[in-house]
Amino acid sequence: MSHENQEKPVSNSKSVIRLPIIISITLAAGMLLGSTFFSGGKKLTDVAKGYAKFREVLLLVENNYVDSVNTEELVDYSISKMLEKLDPHTAYFNTEEATAARSQLDSGFDGIGVEFNIYNDTVYVVTPLSGGPSEAVGIQSGDRILKVNKEVLSAPGVTNGQVYKLLRGKRGTKVTLTIERLGLKDNMNFEVVRNRIPTYSVDAAYMVDKEIGYIKVSRFSETTFDEFKSALSTLKADGLKKLVLDLRGNPGGYMERATSIADEFISGDKLLVYTEGKDSRFDRKTRSHVEGGFEQGAVIVLVDEGSASASEILAGALQDHDRALIVGRRSYGKGLVQMPIKLSDGAELRLTISRYYTPSGRSIQKPYEMGKGEDYNQDLTHRYDSGEFFNADSIKFDKTKAYKTDGGRTVYGGGGIMPDVFVPRDTLMNSKYLFELYAKNIIREYALRYANDNSKRLEKQTFDEYLKTFEVSDAMISELVKDATKSGIKLNEKELNRSKPIVQSQTKAIIGRYVWGRKHKNGLNNEVYEVLNPMDNVYQNALKLFSKASELENGNFSSLNTKKIDK
């Protein structure tokens, strides 16, 4: 599934750098960098010599090379290769990439507001975004976008990038979509006026039972703190006494949003995070200072190998102050702070200027060698191969980097946030057949078709009734398998039976989201998480650990130590 603000998942490769990176200094401060950063001294002479040499070579190539060259591409390439000699998170974005990257953290973007799939070189509308211009003009789930302003879109080799380029644009501008709709003989043209499309970062907020609440934060964007405050307020009104805060797969974002959320849990005047760099101007300390919305009540934070940067700041602050029980697997381990510096042509340099430390003094940055980014970016693969995702004993602690929480518990730095309670990755129901269904969007396409065909009947009940009573039948699975076979996926009965519970839950979740979730105006996907979480072993284990979380809150640390990790 994609939409005009598609976010790439956290992976084991350098694409991690392409995700929103924690920003501790404002862009306004970044603007000042050029005039103050290289100030005086012998090093200025070294920089001048290097610049003169590069300029000389570039001019020689431009004026004398046997073939014509694209100088701009050469410069972009040389900058990128130069930065590879530094740490793994210093990065350069050309003008186009910088614009796309910044929109990941902005409060929204301008476009027509659709989620889409590319399937067999055809662009399908998954759903119009709630409150967006496409929904307003009547674009429906399942519509095929054939042309945009008479330019053919559904064609062999169509890419996400092409779709973004054609659908995004300045608010107020018009775009004509040629749509093919099932059941209609003739194509239709829709004129859509682009507008601001809000993006959300709190994916779910619901009550698990009368006391336990669940909030899922997928990143730390411009609006995250406001979304979180609203979600927390709603849950408190519903009786919230204990909270599960899910930060799994959250790659980070604005550090200030993470510390603001930490302040909601931590009372008094306490250190939340501090940064230190070569230049003291970039050193800062952030402390709690407001009366938070949930300073009392047991808290469990879920993390995994996809939780990075700002997620680790939040989890680390809560762990160091003994405010939350950390459950899951070791987090990613990114403790370097980047300053975003907008260059004159709109490109952007994200330069590592400092390291951040949790309140106990931990740097959670995992080890790296300067200029050896390839091995660094294979770290998650190494964790998998070593068995760390499946066995707590495989986690390697650096005994020289031991620190103490407020209550005297031992925690370790140098490689992410270590969980208080380890829960292994669950792969028992995975299969090649399941992955093939995912790859060709079979489950989603079938679920959306079922929802379209049965929405009037389903809407006669509440979602809670649907959650409790609806079952994806064997007949439905048979229809889905037929779709898969038509798409060239050969049926493997054994693998299907192994993965059947996942197929059923995914199908039920997508149907629930389409029928009930699209009516929300707050970006929440509660319907999806309420269906899928009962299948999630980390979530299910967390619900059983509130006795430990309550002990932690009450200052009873005897049974809690990160050296003793449960399997």
Side-chain angles (χ1 to χ4, degrees):
M1 181 185 70
S2 303
H3 57 72
E4 297 148 281
N5 193 37
Q6 183 193 40
E7 294 193 350
K8 298 178 181 178
V10 175
S11 71
N12 301 352
S13 70
K14 198 162 185 174
S15 65
V16 172
I17 297 172
R18 299 289 183 186
L19 289 161
I21 300 171
I22 68 165
I23 299 170
S24 71
I25 311 296
T26 65
L27 280 170
M31 305 282 185
L32 301 175
L33 189 66
S35 61
T36 60
F37 195 75
F38 299 109
S39 53
K42 184 179 177 182
K43 295 212 171 177
L44 182 60
T45 304
D46 295 338
V47 171
K49 286 181 180 177
Y51 167 74
K53 182 187 288 187
F54 179 77
R55 181 175 180 274
E56 183 180 9
V57 171
L58 191 64
L59 285 172
L60 286 168
V61 171
E62 172 67 24
N63 294 327
N64 302 295
Y65 184 67
V66 63
D67 297 319
S68 61
V69 295
N70 185 319
T71 306
E72 186 175 358
E73 285 186 3
L74 285 177
V75 170
D76 285 347
Y77 179 77
S78 61
I79 293 172
S80 296
K81 296 302 287 185
M82 173 180 68
L83 297 181
E84 287 180 7
K85 292 294 184 182
L86 304 179
D87 70 273
H89 294 292
T90 290
Y92 170 76
F93 296 78
N94 66 33
T95 306
E96 186 177 351
E97 292 170 335
T99 301
R102 281 192 289 270
S103 74
Q104 300 281 7
L105 295 179
D106 291 340
S107 60
F109 58 95
D110 294 345
I112 70 165
V114 293
E115 292 184 1
F116 63 91
N117 271 336
I118 298 176
Y119 183 60
N120 286 344
D121 293 320
T122 301
V123 179
Y124 290 89
V125 175
V126 174
T127 185
L129 299 181
S130 180
S134 288
E135 183 185 56
V137 300
I139 301 294
Q140 296 181 5
S141 174
D143 285 349
R144 293 191 236 181
I145 306 177
L146 303 180
K147 296 180 182 179
V148 179
N149 290 335
K150 297 185 179 180
E151 184 171 340
V152 175
L153 185 59
S154 289
V158 65
T159 66
N160 283 326
Q162 289 175 277
V163 179
Y164 298 146
K165 188 174 182 179
L166 290 171
L167 298 187
R168 280 189 175 187
K170 291 182 179 179
R171 74 186 77 177
T173 57
K174 293 181 180 179
V175 58
T176 300
L177 304 180
T178 302
I179 297 291
E180 180 183 0
R181 180 167 293 172
L182 288 173
L184 296 180
K185 182 178 179 181
D186 297 323
N187 298 333
M188 298 178 294
N189 290 322
F190 289 86
E191 190 174 80
V192 183
V193 179
R194 295 184 179 98
N195 204 344
R196 192 69 168 169
I197 310 300
T199 54
Y200 299 97
S201 52
V202 174
D203 284 355
Y206 66 88
M207 293 298 292
V208 180
D209 58 26
K210 292 181 179 180
E211 290 191 343
I212 300 174
Y214 171 86
I215 297 179
K216 168 75 173 178
V217 182
S218 60
R219 59 184 177 141
F220 292 95
S221 67
E222 184 179 285
T223 60
T224 300
F225 180 59
D226 292 336
E227 291 178 54
F228 177 81
K229 285 272 285 184
S230 176
L232 186 64
S233 177
T234 299
L235 296 190
K236 285 173 68 177
D238 291 337
L240 178 69
K241 297 290 188 297
K242 306 169 184 177
L243 179 66
V244 176
L245 177 60
D246 193 346
L247 300 179
R248 289 175 296 168
N250 182 323
Y254 289 116
M255 186 167 79
E256 288 88 346
R257 305 305 185 271
T259 54
S260 293
I261 291 177
D263 205 351
E264 290 297 300
F265 297 102
I266 295 172
S267 61
D269 176 25
K270 296 185 178 73
L271 185 63
L272 300 177
V273 67
Y274 66 95
T275 62
E276 291 182 353
K278 180 170 62 178
D279 191 316
S280 61
R281 286 172 299 160
F282 303 132
D283 296 351
R284 63 183 300 188
K285 293 182 178 181
T286 302
R287 306 184 69 86
S288 59
H289 63 281
V290 302
E291 184 177 342
F294 202 72
E295 291 182 351
Q296 293 183 328
V299 180
I300 292 176
V301 175
L302 308 184
V303 298
D304 66 7
E305 56 281 351
S307 307
S309 72
S311 297
E312 295 171 300
I313 288 173
L314 175 52
L318 296 176
Q319 188 178 47
D320 282 1
H321 290 306
D322 302 301
R323 182 64 190 92
L325 187 74
I326 311 299
V327 176
R329 294 183 293 278
R330 179 163 67 104
S331 64
Y332 182 82
K334 181 184 179 296
L336 299 174
V337 182
Q338 281 71 49
M339 171 185 280
I341 307 157
K342 192 172 182 179
L343 305 180
S344 58
D345 67 345
E348 185 172 287
L349 172 66
R350 290 187 175 178
L351 185 67
T352 297
I353 56 168
S354 60
R355 291 179 173 84
Y356 72 74
Y357 299 85
T358 70
S360 67
R362 286 186 286 169
S363 167
I364 57 84
Q365 176 63 43
K366 60 190 176 185
Y368 66 89
E369 289 186 57
M370 297 285 277
K372 294 189 176 180
E374 186 62 33
D375 187 63
Y376 177 87
N377 290 313
Q378 292 299 314
D379 173 61
L380 298 188
T381 301
H382 297 330
R383 294 193 205 183
Y384 183 91
D385 292 341
S386 72
E388 181 181 319
F389 291 161
F390 308 101
N391 192 321
D393 294 336
S394 297
I395 299 178
K396 299 295 186 289
F397 293 95
D398 186 340
K399 303 298 184 181
T400 67
K401 296 178 180 177
Y403 298 83
K404 295 292 184 181
T405 69
D406 290 355
R409 295 186 300 138
T410 301
V411 288
Y412 294 91
I417 299 296
M418 309 290 180
D420 299 314
V421 179
F422 175 85
V423 181
R425 181 185 285 187
D426 185 3
T427 59
L428 291 177
M429 287 182 282
N430 288 348
S431 69
K432 182 182 177 183
Y433 186 74
L434 176 65
F435 296 150
E436 289 177 333
L437 295 180
Y438 285 151
K440 292 196 173 182
N441 290 310
I442 301 300
I443 298 174
R444 182 173 297 278
E445 295 295 335
Y446 172 77
L448 290 174
R449 189 173 77 243
Y450 183 92
N452 274 321
D453 293 344
N454 297 275
S455 59
K456 290 182 179 179
R457 174 177 62 84
L458 292 169
E459 285 174 345
K460 292 178 181 178
Q461 61 185 326
T462 66
F463 173 74
D464 285 341
E465 291 170 336
Y466 169 84
L467 183 64
K468 293 174 183 175
T469 63
F470 185 85
E471 292 183 5
V472 175
S473 66
D474 288 342
M476 293 172 66
I477 295 294
S478 295
E479 289 296 319
L480 188 150
V481 168
K482 287 180 183 177
D483 289 350
T485 303
K486 288 178 183 177
S487 296
I489 302 174
K490 186 178 180 181
L491 174 61
N492 184 310
E493 291 276 5
K494 184 178 179 181
E495 292 184 358
L496 173 61
N497 288 333
R498 185 195 312 160
S499 301
K500 186 176 177 181
I502 295 179
V503 175
Q504 289 174 315
S505 62
Q506 291 276 351
T507 303
K508 182 175 178 177
I510 296 167
I511 294 170
R513 180 189 180 200
Y514 178 78
V515 175
W516 289 276
R518 60 182 174 154
K519 298 175 183 177
H520 297 319
K521 303 296 182 184
N522 55 9
L524 296 178
N525 289 312
N526 288 348
E527 291 76 15
V528 170
Y529 286 90
E530 288 188 68
V531 173
L532 297 182
N533 275 341
M535 296 276 296
D536 185 325
N537 69 320
V538 178
Y539 173 89
Q540 286 301 309
N541 273 278
L543 296 185
K544 302 171 185 175
L545 292 167
F546 273 107
S547 60
K548 283 192 174 186
S550 295
E551 287 180 17
L552 186 67
E553 186 191 14
N554 294 328
N556 180 8
F557 308 125
S558 59
S559 64
L560 295 166
N561 194 301
T562 51
K563 288 186 292 186
K564 182 182 178 183
I565 301 177
D566 292 351
K567 295 182 181 179

